[in-house]
Amino acid sequence: MAEDHLPQVLVLRPPKCFTAYETQFSEKFHFLKAWESPLPTTDFLATHAASVEAILCNSFTPITADILHHLPSLKLIVTTSVGHDHINLPECRRRGISIADAGHVFSEDCADLAVGLLIDVLRKISAADRFVRAGLWPISGDYPLGSKLGGKRVGIVGLGSIGLGVAKRLEAFGCIISYNSRKEKANLPYRFYSNACELGANSDALVICCALNDETHHMINKEVMKALGKEGVIVNVGRGAIIDEKELVQCLVEGEIGGAGLDVFENEPDLPEELFTLDNVVLSPHLAVATPESLSGLFHLMMGNLEAYFSNKPLLSPLLDE
Amino acid sequence: MKMENIRILLTYPVPEYLVQELEKRFTVFKFRDVASNPQLLGEISNSIRAIVGTSAWGADAGLIDALPKLEIVASYSVGFDKIDLVKCKERGITVTNTPDVLSDDVADCAIGLALATVRRICVCDRFVRGRKWKEGEFELTTKFHYTIRKTLMKSCKCDGGTKGHYSKFMSLNDLCLGAPLKVTRSGCSGGGISEKVHCVEEAIHLKSRGTYFDQKFSGKSVGIVGLGRIGSAIAKRAEAFGCKISYHSRSEKPESYYKFYPNLIDLATNCKILFVACALSKGTHHIVDRKVIDALGPKGIIVNIGRGALINEPELVSALLEGRLAGAGLDVFEHEPKVPEELLRLENVVLQPHVGSDTVETSIAMSDLVIKNLEAHFQNKPVLTPVI
C-alpha cells in the first residue's frame, strides 16, 4: 500500500481542519487515527505509536506528560490552535519536541469577533434583536439607549497579532487604545500599563487577547473588575480561565461591571446559569476563528508545517521560546 | 430674551433630556396629548411657532397648514424625509436637522450590524442562551439545516413559488444512526424527487467535509450607497478591517480615493457587503430593487441604516427567504415599527428598532443642537444646521 511509504502522523481526536481536508492531508501523510480504535488511548499508543514522530492536534486534546511518555519518538506537535495551554510545554522543552501552531491564520477573524462583541455589548445589538423578534417594538416604543464607542478608552490585554488587530480596528472608531503585555512594545502609539489593574482603572472596556499560562490564569480578578468600574465592559476572545469566571458572574449580577462579550469560558460548554438570563452579556460558543476562509488557511499552514518537518526544512509557524 | 411664551409642538418619542431642556426654555405641547384632544389643538394651533420633529414624525402638509404661525421645524434627526420641504419653502418656514453629531454612532451601528450578520453573533448568542451548546457544536447543526433546504429547492420539479421548501431540522446524531430524513414541504405540487435518498447523500457529504458556516468579515469588498458624512464614516471603519471600498453616489466625490460607480448595479456586482447610507428622497425611493439585489448575489449581505424605503422591502424579504441573498442587517424598515413577519424567523438577518444614533452621548449632542437651532432662530440669528 502506498501509504506505507508516507510519513506517519498521529491524531488522537480529529481537529475540524483534519476532518474537512482529510483527503488532501492523506495524499502526503499516513494518519494513525487513535479515536477510531477500540483501545484506550495509552494502549493504542503503546501498540502503534512507538515510532511516531509527529502529532496533529487541536486545543481540545490535552498533550499531557503521560501521553508524551507513550510517544518516545515524538519530535513535533502540530496544533491547529493559537493557544498552547493544552500542551505540557516544560516536558516538550525537556524532550526537545518542537511545536508548530496556527501562527497568524486566525488573527483577523479573532480581532473581528472581538470588535463585533464589543460593539454588540455597548450598542445592545443582540438584546435589541431579541426585542424586535419578540414583537415588542410596536408595543414598547423606544429601546433603551446604548453607549457610544467613540472616545471610549479601550485596554487590550495581550498585544500580539490578535491584540494589534483589535487596536487597529478600534482606532478607526475613535477609541483610545492602551494595553498590558508581558513587556512594553517599542514604537507603538498606545499607552502601556504594567499590570491589568492599572489598565482596568484607566479603561472603559477591556479586551482580552492574551495566551493562557500560569501568569495569566485568573489575571482578570475582582480587583481588576472593581478598577474597571460599574460602566466597564469586558470582552474575552482568549481563554476562559484568564478571567475569574465566578467573580465575573457575581460582578455582572450585582451591577459591579456594565457588561461582557464572551467567546470563551472556563468549562466549555458548561456555562454559569446566571449568564443565560443577563441582558448585558453576549455569548459566543468559542467560534472566534470559525470561518471557511480561516479553515482553508489553517489547512495550508498545517500541511506546510508537516511537509517542512519531514523534509528537514524550518517550520512555518514554530512556537518560539521567549 | 424671554422665550417661555414661545409655543412649541413636540412630536414623539424623544429622549427625556430633550423634553426637559425644551421645557426649561419654552412652552411645550406634546403631540400625543394634543392629537387626542381636539379642543386643545384648536386652542393652540394659532400660536404654535415651532415643531420639534423626529425621524418617525415630521411635519407633513396637513400639519403645516393647521399651524399658521409656524416659523421653524427643528428635527431631532439628520433625515428630513418626513418634512414637506416644498410646503415649508412656500411658507418661508426654516427647517433644521442634526447632521455630523450622529455620524459616528450610525457608522458604528452599520459596522456592528455587518459583523453581527456575517459572523452570526446574535444567532450564536441565541444558541448559547438556549442551552444548546452542550448538545453539540454550533456549526454542525446550523450548516446541516441550511444545506438540506437548498438541495430540495434545487431538485424539485414543482415551481415552489415564493413559499419555497422548508426542511425539518434533524440532529446529526439521528442522521448517523440512519434515521430517514423527514421533510415537510409547503406549496409543492411537482412530485419532486426521492428526497430521502438525496438528503442522506448530501448529509453524508456534509459529515465528512466538516462544517463551518460563518463568513469572514475582514478583507471583504464593501460597497457604500451614498458617500456623505455617514457613508464616509462607514468607509473609514471598514478600511481598518482591510476592506476595499467602492461607492455609488449622485455624483463622484473628487476628494475621495474610493472607486466610484455611477451605476448602482455595477457597484452591487462588485461588492460583497452593501451599506445603504443615503438620504431618502423621490430619487432614491426603492433604489435597492430586485435588479440590485440580484447583482449583489447569493453571497451578498445588505446593511441598511438609512431609511426603510430605500430598499424594496418585499423584494428583500423574498430574496432572503429564497437564498438569493446571504443575509441582511437592518436598522430601518418601510413601515416602522412593523417588521415583516418572515424576517422575525430568519437566522441570517439582524434586526434593530431604528437605534442607529441611540446612545446616551449622542442623544445629548443631538438635543443640544436642536435647542441651539431654536434659540438662534428666536433670537433672530442664523440657525446652525439649516436644511433649507
Side-chain angles (χ1 to χ4, degrees):
Chain A
M1 268 179 56
E3 64 178 22
D4 283 350
H5 303 292
L6 296 174
Q8 278 190 334
V9 178
L10 171 66
V11 181
L12 296 176
R13 296 180 63 76
K16 290 186 185 70
C17 182
F18 179 75
T19 311
Y21 290 93
E22 185 170 350
T23 317
Q24 293 94 321
F25 270 122
S26 302
E27 282 167 23
K28 297 274 176 70
F29 305 102
H30 173 215
F31 288 93
L32 296 171
K33 301 181 196 173
W35 80 91
E36 286 186 348
S37 163
L39 293 173
T41 308
T42 42
D43 289 350
F44 177 88
L45 297 181
T47 316
H48 298 285
S51 57
V52 152
E53 292 178 39
I55 184 172
L56 175 68
C57 68
N58 61 16
S59 59
F60 302 109
T61 316
I63 309 296
T64 59
D66 189 39
I67 302 245
L68 290 170
H69 176 72
H70 284 82
L71 296 168
S73 309
L74 190 70
K75 297 264 177 30
L76 172 68
I77 299 172
V78 178
T79 178
T80 61
S81 62
V82 166
H84 319 102
D85 44 289
H86 57 296
I87 300 174
N88 188 324
L89 295 177
E91 185 59 18
C92 290
R93 225 169 272 132
R94 190 186 73 75
R95 291 254 310 259
I97 297 171
S98 302
I99 299 169
D101 63 16
H104 298 315
V105 157
F106 295 145
S107 301
E108 286 183 334
D109 279 344
C110 207
D112 289 354
L113 189 75
V115 173
L117 287 172
L118 182 64
I119 302 178
D120 194 323
V121 176
L122 286 174
R123 298 296 302 270
K124 305 181 192 297
I125 297 182
S126 287
D129 179 83
R130 282 197 287 281
F131 173 81
V132 174
R133 278 173 200 270
L136 294 173
W137 191 8
I139 303 169
S140 303
D142 261 359
Y143 193 74
L145 297 172
S147 185
K148 187 180 165 108
L149 258 96
K152 287 280 187 302
R153 302 164 302 162
V154 177
I156 301 179
V157 181
L159 209 67
S161 66
I162 296 172
L164 275 170
V166 172
K168 182 179 109 178
R169 284 155 177 73
L170 288 179
E171 277 187 300
F173 292 79
C175 295
I176 301 157
I177 309 293
S178 50
Y179 70 102
N180 164 248
S181 216
R182 262 170 310 196
K183 297 187 289 246
E184 188 167 359
K185 317 232 171 198
N187 301 320
L188 284 179
Y190 314 132
R191 176 135 183 209
F192 171 74
Y193 289 96
S194 54
N195 67 74
C197 219
E198 260 206 83
L199 184 70
N202 289 282
S203 300
D204 303 305
L206 289 177
V207 181
I208 318 292
C209 304
C210 60
L212 173 64
N213 52 45
D214 289 333
E215 289 108 56
T216 62
H217 184 267
H218 280 197
M219 181 169 83
I220 309 301
N221 54 22
K222 184 169 182 155
E223 217 194 323
V224 175
M225 289 188 247
K226 281 253 149 72
L228 185 61
K230 290 185 196 273
E231 306 283 314
V233 167
I234 296 182
V235 168
N236 191 2
V237 293
R239 286 285 180 269
I242 297 168
I243 301 180
D244 181 341
E245 197 166 270
K246 251 175 86 175
E247 218 28 81
L248 173 68
V249 171
Q250 195 163 349
C251 284
L252 283 164
V253 165
E254 291 171 6
E256 291 298 326
I257 62 165
L262 308 167
D263 184 51
V264 286
F265 306 86
E266 287 209 63
N267 283 310
E268 296 164 17
D270 275 314
L271 268 56
E273 268 298 310
E274 297 91 324
L275 291 178
F276 298 133
T277 48
L278 287 171
D279 232 22
N280 57 346
V281 302
V282 180
L283 308 169
S284 173
H286 200 152
L287 279 181
V289 304
T291 71
E293 293 93 333
S294 281
L295 199 64
S296 160
L298 181 65
F299 160 69
H300 285 104
L301 186 59
M302 298 297 102
M303 186 71 136
N305 275 309
L306 288 169
E307 285 177 317
Y309 171 76
F310 285 110
S311 47
N312 289 316
K313 297 211 179 91
L315 295 173
L316 301 183
S317 50
L319 168 63
L320 300 163
D321 261 339
E322 285 172 32
Chain B
M1 179 203 164
K2 271 170 64 158
M3 294 194 281
E4 310 92 60
N5 295 323
I6 295 175
R7 291 174 155 201
I8 298 212
L9 187 63
L10 174 63
T11 64
Y12 189 77
V14 291
E16 199 44 48
Y17 173 78
L18 178 56
V19 179
Q20 282 164 13
E21 292 300 302
L22 286 170
E23 286 178 341
K24 273 184 204 164
R25 295 163 173 77
F26 307 104
T27 302
V28 179
F29 294 92
K30 293 185 186 123
F31 190 79
R32 61 181 169 171
D33 300 331
V34 166
S36 54
N37 187 341
Q39 196 194 351
L40 179 60
L41 180 59
E43 279 170 19
I44 64 168
S45 55
N46 266 335
S47 53
I48 293 284
R49 293 170 65 185
I51 291 177
V52 172
T54 65
S55 58
W57 294 96
D60 60 15
L63 184 60
I64 295 169
D65 278 339
L67 306 172
K69 294 277 175 18
L70 184 64
E71 298 170 23
I72 175 170
V73 178
S75 194
Y76 177 84
S77 70
V78 65
F80 38 84
D81 45 284
K82 293 250 163 48
I83 301 172
D84 190 328
L85 291 182
V86 172
K87 195 93 200 179
C88 287
K89 235 189 194 141
E90 261 173 41
R91 284 264 304 267
I93 295 170
T94 301
V95 178
T96 67
N97 63 346
T98 58
D100 282 324
V101 293
L102 48 54
S103 307
D104 283 339
D105 266 1
V106 178
D108 293 350
C109 178
I111 300 290
L113 273 171
L115 280 164
T117 307
V118 169
R119 295 298 302 270
R120 301 164 59 85
I121 296 177
C122 307
V123 180
C124 287
D125 179 84
R126 277 199 292 280
F127 174 78
V128 178
R129 263 171 214 272
R131 295 167 172 81
K132 296 211 165 68
W133 194 7
K134 284 176 79 164
E135 292 171 23
E137 293 185 51
F138 174 77
E139 61 271 15
L140 286 172
T141 58
T142 320
K143 173 80 172 187
F144 177 67
H145 180 231
Y146 270 93
T147 304
I148 295 297
R149 179 161 73 175
K150 272 192 186 155
T151 305
L152 284 180
M153 285 171 60
K154 268 194 272 186
S155 314
C156 184
K157 291 179 185 62
C158 80
D159 70 58
T162 52
K163 282 198 210 144
H165 302 272
Y166 296 90
S167 62
K168 211 169 188 154
F169 165 70
M170 286 279 291
S171 78
L172 206 54
N173 259 345
D174 288 354
L175 173 71
C176 295
L177 293 172
L181 282 167
K182 295 182 192 60
V183 174
T184 48
R185 311 156 90 198
S186 59
C188 174
S189 56
I193 39 88
S194 166
E195 65 262 32
K196 193 160 89 181
V197 172
H198 201 108
C199 290
V200 170
E201 273 174 13
E202 180 66 45
I204 287 172
H205 172 66
L206 253 181
K207 184 183 159 202
S208 64
R209 248 185 43 203
T211 51
Y212 277 91
F213 184 90
D214 301 65
Q215 293 183 63
K216 190 180 173 97
F217 181 83
S218 271
K220 281 280 193 298
S221 52
V222 159
I224 302 181
V225 186
L227 200 70
R229 286 165 292 233
I230 294 173
S232 302
I234 293 175
K236 177 173 158 202
R237 284 150 178 74
E239 276 191 298
F241 291 82
C243 296
K244 216 175 88 178
I245 316 291
S246 46
Y247 71 102
H248 167 74
S249 220
R250 265 170 311 196
S251 55
E252 188 166 5
K253 315 259 168 186
E255 66 279 10
S256 164
Y257 55 80
Y258 306 134
K259 185 171 167 81
F260 171 67
Y261 284 98
N263 185 313
L264 177 54
I265 294 189
D266 291 337
L267 177 70
T269 308
N270 288 286
C271 72
K272 278 264 148 54
I273 306 178
L274 186 69
F275 289 93
V276 184
C278 58
L280 177 64
S281 64
K282 281 212 189 77
T284 59
H285 184 266
H286 283 193
I287 194 177
V288 177
D289 57 12
R290 168 89 190 222
K291 289 210 189 82
V292 173
I293 292 172
D294 284 346
L296 188 54
K299 293 206 168 134
I301 304 272
I302 289 183
V303 174
N304 190 3
I305 44 76
R307 286 288 181 266
L310 289 166
I311 301 181
N312 182 326
E313 202 161 87
E315 287 290 353
L316 176 67
V317 172
S318 62
L320 289 163
L321 287 174
E322 292 166 22
R324 290 184 285 109
L325 199 60
L330 307 168
D331 186 44
V332 286
F333 304 85
E334 287 211 66
H335 307 287
E336 296 171 19
K338 268 177 60 184
V339 173
E341 268 296 313
E342 300 93 323
L343 294 183
L344 300 180
R345 293 190 300 269
L346 286 179
E347 291 201 328
N348 55 342
V349 299
V350 178
L351 309 166
Q352 302 284 278
H354 202 150
V355 289
S357 59
D358 284 4
T359 64
V360 170
E361 296 89 336
T362 295
S363 74
I364 292 173
M366 286 168 70
S367 303
D368 286 346
L369 188 49
V370 168
I371 299 285
K372 287 200 174 91
N373 274 313
L374 289 170
E375 286 178 333
H377 171 80
F378 290 115
Q379 288 164 4
N380 292 315
K381 297 192 183 122
V383 293
L384 281 73
T385 49
V387 171
I388 50 159

